[in-house]
Structures are given as structure tokens and as C-alpha cells.
Amino acid sequence: MGARSLFRDIGFGVALVALASSAAASGFDRARGLIGILPLTEVFGEYPCQRFDPEEIPLYPAAEAPQPMGRIVVRQGWTFPPEGGCFGLEVAVVRAGAAGGDERLPTVEFDYEQPGGIVLARRGRWHEIALSTGSAWVSVDDGRFLPVEALLKDRLTYVGGTWPVVLFDAPGGVEQTTLTGAAARREWPAEVLSIREAGDERWIQVRFLEADPCTGEASVPGVETAWLRFYGDTGLPAVWFHSRGC
């Protein structure tokens, strides 16, 4: 099952996660400024359809804060029908003292049907993750954090998660061309060559593939390699990957 768009590839929380579903939700807007993904195995398990005992994840208003502001919980575990598969895992954010009920948790898939928290900042073992509104901090020190450098390595990566995309010859260098959503394709298959911090910006170097690895369609947008700002004008990553393959 191929996910051919950034916005089909990313799930906004998991009110219902089913292995037969396409996770077609539109919560990637909470990934503005994303620096990586945090697998939340306490509430999602280590792999899809796993039978596991969930644990609550405390949420804190700041790194090193003494008291939590809420928690991430499993409201309903997987259901395993006789014919096989699973469905029905419900994960929610509960804020302390909130009268509005549960919230969905924005997530991003880092592998097939494996969602994780959207990490916006890190301080040692503390990770700031996006919530449906605002953010909160969780404490994790087991090395599970996946930085963007790891997420984009050896994946089906593409340029075009956000428009327009300006291509440069070097970080902060001479503009080569601009790709827009009105171009012939919505995304451009590319290999990530390098990620670099320049000034207060993150830059990424890509090599455009001559053909789409899934369809074989020719795809080079007039340049072979280029640098671009990792975050587009909207704050969303301009380069991303298909977590479910072709």
C-alpha cells in the first residue's frame, strides 16, 4: 500500500489505528519546527498489533518541571478479531484539571503503522512534543529518539512537503531555481546527501533521482543536486519520506 503524499503518509494522533487503514489524516501541521520523532512504545507498543501492557506517559510543562500537567494514556487497547489482524487502539492526551475531555495526540509515522511523537526540542533526556494545541515535555533516556538525520537516511525521500521550495547552490548561496506546487509533479524523489546548520538555519542537500523509484517516471527538475532550507515558509519540513514504501 503506497502512500504518495506527505499528508496521506502522516497521521494526526490515533483515535483509531487499524492495520488495514491508510492513516489518512491531516495533522502534519503540528510538525512545524520538527527535529525528530520520539517512539512512544508505552502507548503504541514496539510494533503494530503487539499485545502489550500500556503505561501512562507523564507530560510536563517544561523540562525538569516538578509536577506533570497531564499524561498520555491508552483509552482502549487493540482488538484482535478471529479472522486475524487488529483494530481499535485509542490513545489520548489528558490534561490535569481540563474540563474539555480527552485530546488527540499529533503523531508522525517513522515506519509502517508505527507512529511517534513530534519532537520540537531536546534538553538531555527531556523531549518537547507537539500536542493538539501547544506542547509538553516528556522524560526519556533510553536512546529511542530518532533525529531527522536518521529518519531521512536510506528512505524513499522526496522534496515537496511544503511549497514553494527554493533551490540553492550552497547554504545561503546563489538561488538556482524555485519549485512550486503548480509544477508538473507534487513531489520530487531525491536522495539526502547532507544536513548542515548554517547560522540559525538548518539546510539540507539533495540529489534528485533521474526516475521515481516506485513508478519509473522521469523526475529530474532541471538540476542534479541542490541545497534548500530544511523548513519551508510554513515551518514544515521541505524534505520528507514515505514511511510505507511505494
Side-chain angles (χ1 to χ4, degrees):
M1 177 170 54
R4 299 301 298 146
S5 161
L6 176 66
F7 300 100
R8 291 197 301 274
D9 217 19
I10 303 301
F12 182 86
V14 179
L16 174 64
V17 177
L19 291 185
S21 76
S22 63
S26 59
F28 200 69
D29 60 338
R30 296 299 298 142
R32 299 174 191 276
L34 169 149
I35 64 168
I37 298 175
L38 185 67
L40 301 172
T41 54
E42 295 88 348
V43 293
F44 291 115
E46 295 182 359
Y47 53 86
C49 259
Q50 179 189 13
R51 298 177 186 270
F52 70 101
D53 295 321
E55 302 176 23
E56 294 186 354
I57 303 175
L59 295 171
Y60 294 85
E64 308 291 349
Q67 296 295 327
M69 56 171 277
R71 62 194 192 280
I72 304 172
V73 302
V74 172
R75 284 304 191 202
Q76 178 177 304
W78 289 115
T79 296
F80 298 92
E83 60 271 22
C86 66
F87 68 92
L89 178 67
E90 295 182 9
V91 175
V93 171
V94 181
R95 297 185 190 243
D102 295 351
E103 300 176 12
R104 290 183 176 183
L105 174 69
T107 60
V108 171
E109 284 189 1
F110 59 90
D111 208 340
Y112 191 91
E113 291 283 2
Q114 293 187 260
I118 298 168
V119 180
L120 307 177
R122 292 184 72 205
R123 295 180 186 173
R125 63 187 174 91
W126 290 90
H127 302 71
E128 182 185 17
I129 63 171
L131 303 183
S132 58
T133 57
S135 61
W137 292 77
V138 298
S139 176
V140 174
D141 60 2
D142 58 7
R144 73 177 77 168
F145 171 67
L146 301 171
V148 292
E149 291 85 354
L151 289 168
L152 300 179
K153 183 179 181 180
D154 300 325
R155 302 287 191 118
L156 287 174
T157 48
Y158 60 90
V159 175
T162 182
W163 300 106
V165 176
V166 182
L167 305 181
F168 296 83
D169 65 344
V174 176
E175 180 178 333
Q176 293 178 298
T177 189
T178 299
L179 305 180
T180 70
R185 33 185 326 119
R186 186 174 179 181
E187 58 190 46
W188 300 89
E191 174 190 6
V192 174
L193 301 179
S194 180
I195 298 177
R196 181 186 304 174
E197 304 293 334
D200 58 354
E201 290 188 300
R202 171 170 286 180
W203 291 78
I204 184 166
Q205 184 186 34
V206 300
R207 179 180 66 84
F208 290 97
L209 304 184
E210 294 183 359
D212 188 307
C214 295
T215 66
E217 178 185 2
S219 64
V220 177
V223 295
E224 181 178 355
T225 63
W227 286 88
L228 57 148
R229 293 182 175 90
F230 182 75
Y231 303 108
D233 291 344
T234 64
L236 298 177
V239 179
W240 203 242
F241 67 98
H242 295 297
S243 65
R244 304 185 182 193
C246 294

